[in-house]
């Protein structure tokens, strides 16, 4: 992907291909972006550029429009989400006020307002982290214990949002909150009872943290199964966001909302190409080319 990053991104941006893909062929669709903890300066720049190209709408408006087809949403709309609920998100509040933009933050409800950390922030080794995502949940927890991390471990520095910060964000009227499980396991690797607990309890805990109904869920790592969708519906959520590639139309399943992962810092042209969906488009293209090559034996 370094090839795309170094050579294609600026070219794509200036050639207008990414613009063309998103703004003509897909103009009636809604993009949902996923950030984690963007730097305030980068986020400010990103919002300025997005506002020139898109209509930024609250995620809740898209969800309402899927339920009630008479609700119209603007052309070229985009909704902004942030996963995990890192304490740094509070620094974005002045930026949101400056641009009058609404975002949705997905809280890891069981770790929010504590001195604990999600497991993937404790593990630095990328390869190990990747392999942990593939393990069954109990094997993952045992491997983490051997590594020196336990779920209820308390750290000196707080990295997750606390109740007070959540309250001030909520009072701004520019931040909505959803749930992102209790402890951020990879749901399809969990037993039925663990998955049910993580999905159901995180809704209740998010409501206690925000003093507001929690109606939307975010699947950790974008991974879900049919069972997990069933649990979300039973728990009373109205919608769930994934990391399935693409844009959302009036006919998109509200429990399989498509989302695009974007960087929290770095080059703004690369950010815009990723936000346009062109990046994902070329990734799919590259994958297809590889498959074709394998088939043809080259
Ligand atoms: Zn997450």
């Amino acid at each position: 992907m370094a090839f795309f990053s170094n050579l294609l991104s600026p070219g794509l941006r200036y050639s207008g291909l990414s613009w063309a893909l998103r703004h003509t062929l897909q103009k009636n669709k809604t993009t949902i972006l996923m950030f984690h903890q963007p730097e305030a300066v980068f986020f400010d720049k990103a919002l300025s550029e997005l506002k020139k190209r898109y209509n930024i709408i609250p995620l809740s408006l898209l969800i309402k429009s899927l339920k009630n087809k008479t609700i119209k949403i603007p052309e070229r709309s985009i909704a902004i989400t942030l996963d995990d609920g890192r304490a740094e998100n509070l620094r974005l509040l002045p930026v949101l006020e400056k641009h009058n933009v609404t975002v949705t933050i997905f809280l890891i409800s069981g770790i929010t307002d504590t001195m604990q950390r999600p497991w993937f922030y404790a593990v630095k080794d990328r390869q190990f982290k990747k392999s942990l995502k593939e393990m069954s949940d109990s094997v993952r927890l045992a491997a983490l214990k051997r590594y020196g991390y336990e779920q209820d471990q308390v750290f000196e520095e707080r990295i997750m949002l606390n109740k007070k910060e959540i309250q001030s964000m909520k009072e701004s009227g520019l931040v909505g909150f959803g749930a992102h499980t209790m402890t951020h396991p990879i749901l399809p690797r969990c037993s039925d009872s663990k998955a049910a607990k993580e999905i159901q309890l995180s809704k209740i805990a998010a409501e206690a943290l925000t003093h507001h109904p929690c109606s939307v869920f975010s699947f950790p790592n974008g991974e879900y199964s049919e069972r997990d969708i069933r649990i979300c519906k039973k728990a009373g959520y109205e919608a769930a966001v994934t990391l399935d590639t693409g844009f959302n139309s009036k006919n998109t399943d509200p429990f399989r909302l498509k989302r695009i992962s974007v960087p929290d810092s770095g080059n703004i042209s690369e950010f815009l190409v990723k936000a346009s969906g062109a990046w994902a488009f070329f990734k799919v293209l590259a994958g297809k080319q590889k498959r074709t090559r394998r088939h043809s034996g080259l």
Side-chain angles (χ1 to χ4, degrees), residues 18-222:
S18 61
W19 172 271
L21 280 168
R22 176 64 179 92
H23 295 262
T24 54
L25 302 172
Q26 313 280 357
K27 74 172 180 189
N28 291 320
K29 296 192 174 171
T30 304
T31 300
I32 307 174
L33 298 183
M34 176 190 70
F35 289 93
H36 284 92
Q37 61 263 28
E39 294 161 3
V41 175
F42 177 78
F43 196 61
D44 183 20
K45 230 189 285 175
L47 290 189
S48 299
E49 294 300 319
L50 288 174
K51 280 174 88 177
K52 289 181 198 163
R53 296 162 173 79
Y54 301 91
N55 291 299
I56 306 179
I57 62 163
L59 179 65
S60 57
L61 179 63
L62 171 68
I63 296 168
K64 273 184 209 147
S65 79
L66 295 175
K67 266 178 128 186
N68 179 349
K69 311 279 179 200
T70 63
I71 295 174
K72 291 257 176 295
I73 48 172
E75 281 182 354
R76 295 187 300 275
S77 56
I78 199 161
I80 297 172
T81 67
L82 299 106
D83 274 14
D84 301 341
R86 288 285 300 246
E88 291 94 326
N89 290 172
L90 182 70
R91 297 192 204 136
L92 306 177
L93 196 49
V95 183
L96 296 174
E97 281 163 347
K98 175 182 162 189
H99 293 281
N100 193 30
V101 158
T102 304
V103 299
T104 300
I105 296 179
F106 289 101
L107 302 170
I108 306 172
S109 310
I111 297 176
T112 306
D113 197 39
T114 73
M115 301 298 280
Q116 296 169 30
R117 291 179 182 190
W119 60 273
F120 51 90
Y121 286 118
V123 176
K124 296 279 170 260
D125 186 307
R126 274 181 79 165
Q127 210 47 45
F128 181 46
K129 213 188 281 188
K130 214 176 143 199
S131 68
L132 286 166
K133 290 180 185 175
E134 303 300 324
M135 294 172 189
S136 80
D137 196 61
S138 52
V139 172
R140 175 182 66 87
L141 290 174
L144 280 166
K145 201 168 175 179
R146 284 197 300 277
Y147 182 80
Y149 169 87
E150 288 192 59
Q151 199 66 70
D152 53 4
Q153 203 169 323
V154 163
F155 290 80
E156 251 171 57
E157 196 196 341
R158 177 176 62 85
I159 64 163
M160 310 308 281
L161 284 168
N162 67 19
K163 257 185 171 173
K164 209 176 136 207
E165 290 162 343
I166 289 172
Q167 209 49 40
S168 61
M169 293 178 112
K170 188 190 151 194
E171 278 163 17
S172 73
L174 298 174
V175 184
F177 293 92
H180 191 41
T181 69
M182 293 297 279
T183 64
H184 211 285
I186 308 299
L187 288 170
R189 316 279 181 272
C190 293
S191 66
D192 292 353
S193 65
K194 168 113 185 207
K197 239 163 114 181
E198 288 281 341
I199 295 171
Q200 289 164 353
L201 294 185
S202 63
K203 182 178 192 299
I204 298 164
E207 288 172 350
L209 286 161
T210 62
H211 304 291
H212 198 264
C214 170
S215 59
V216 57
F217 183 81
S218 166
F219 294 110
N221 212 37

Side-chain angles (χ1 to χ4, degrees), residues 285-298:
L285 207 70
K288 267 188 190 151
Q289 280 169 347
K290 255 183 232 155
R291 272 199 299 278
T292 313
R293 230 175 279 140
R294 261 203 304 274
H295 282 308
S296 60
L298 290 171

